[in-house]
Amino acid sequence: MPTTAAQASANTGTSIKTMLQLATPSTRQIQLISWSFTLDDPPGADAVIELIQTDVAATVTAHVASGVQPLDPNAPASLMTLGTSATGYTATVEGTTAASRVFDAVSLSSVSGESPLTYVCQWMPDERPIIAVSKFLRVRATTPTTGVDLRCKITWDE
């Protein structure tokens, strides 16, 4: 959440890296509304940014409660599970995923000249993916070059 400085970006890597992870609590599922990302620089050939649900967590920098912003300012605090193996960003360890569901994947190639540096996906109400209890939703990036900065966002309903 930006305060006195601009919203920070995170650096991708040359192998899969979870940029943002949400961990649903054991008591509540979530329904996705939208997700988006912005790259500061062209990512190089054959980059992939994906939105997936997994059965195991990546090890991430833990989000704090104030970083999980509700759409409605009068809504109660989010019930998302916080922690280094829960809701957070910029993974250091991916974990071993045995089961996943892919909700969106964007293939980018800066050599084609058509790669978007900003991508937004918003689902229609009847098409919105549901993330089950005790699962992990991840934005993962794979770029062929290091030093690509990415900002991403997921909007959901609890």
Side-chain angles (χ1 to χ4, degrees):
M1 175 177 73
T3 53
T4 58
Q7 185 173 2
S9 59
N11 204 298
T12 65
T14 56
S15 59
I16 288 177
K17 182 176 181 180
T18 295
M19 305 303 291
L20 178 61
Q21 176 174 271
L22 301 179
T24 57
S26 62
T27 57
R28 183 167 294 184
Q29 64 186 19
I30 63 172
Q31 185 175 44
L32 300 184
I33 297 171
S34 66
W35 81 289
S36 62
F37 65 84
T38 300
L39 298 165
D40 290 349
D41 300 301
D46 302 324
V48 176
I49 315 295
E50 58 190 351
L51 180 70
I52 67 166
Q53 174 188 298
T54 65
D55 59 339
V56 297
T59 303
V60 293
T61 301
H63 252 304
V64 294
S66 64
V68 182
Q69 301 174 0
L71 283 175
D72 179 351
N74 299 311
S78 173
L79 295 178
M80 286 296 173
T81 305
L82 303 177
T84 57
S85 60
T87 298
Y89 53 93
T90 315
T92 55
V93 176
E94 286 299 312
T96 304
T97 299
S100 66
R101 294 192 312 151
V102 178
F103 300 117
D104 199 5
V106 181
S107 179
L108 305 170
S109 174
S110 60
V111 295
S112 70
E114 297 180 11
S115 293
L117 293 180
T118 299
Y119 175 83
V120 177
C121 174
Q122 182 170 353
W123 287 278
M124 298 299 291
D126 291 343
E127 298 173 340
R128 292 179 181 161
I130 294 175
I131 310 306
V133 299
S134 302
K135 296 294 183 187
F136 304 93
L137 180 68
R138 300 190 200 180
V139 174
R140 298 192 314 186
T142 307
T143 58
T145 57
T146 57
V148 177
D149 291 334
L150 182 139
R151 290 177 186 84
C152 55
K153 176 181 89 164
I154 301 171
T155 306
W156 71 91
D157 186 29
E158 290 186 39

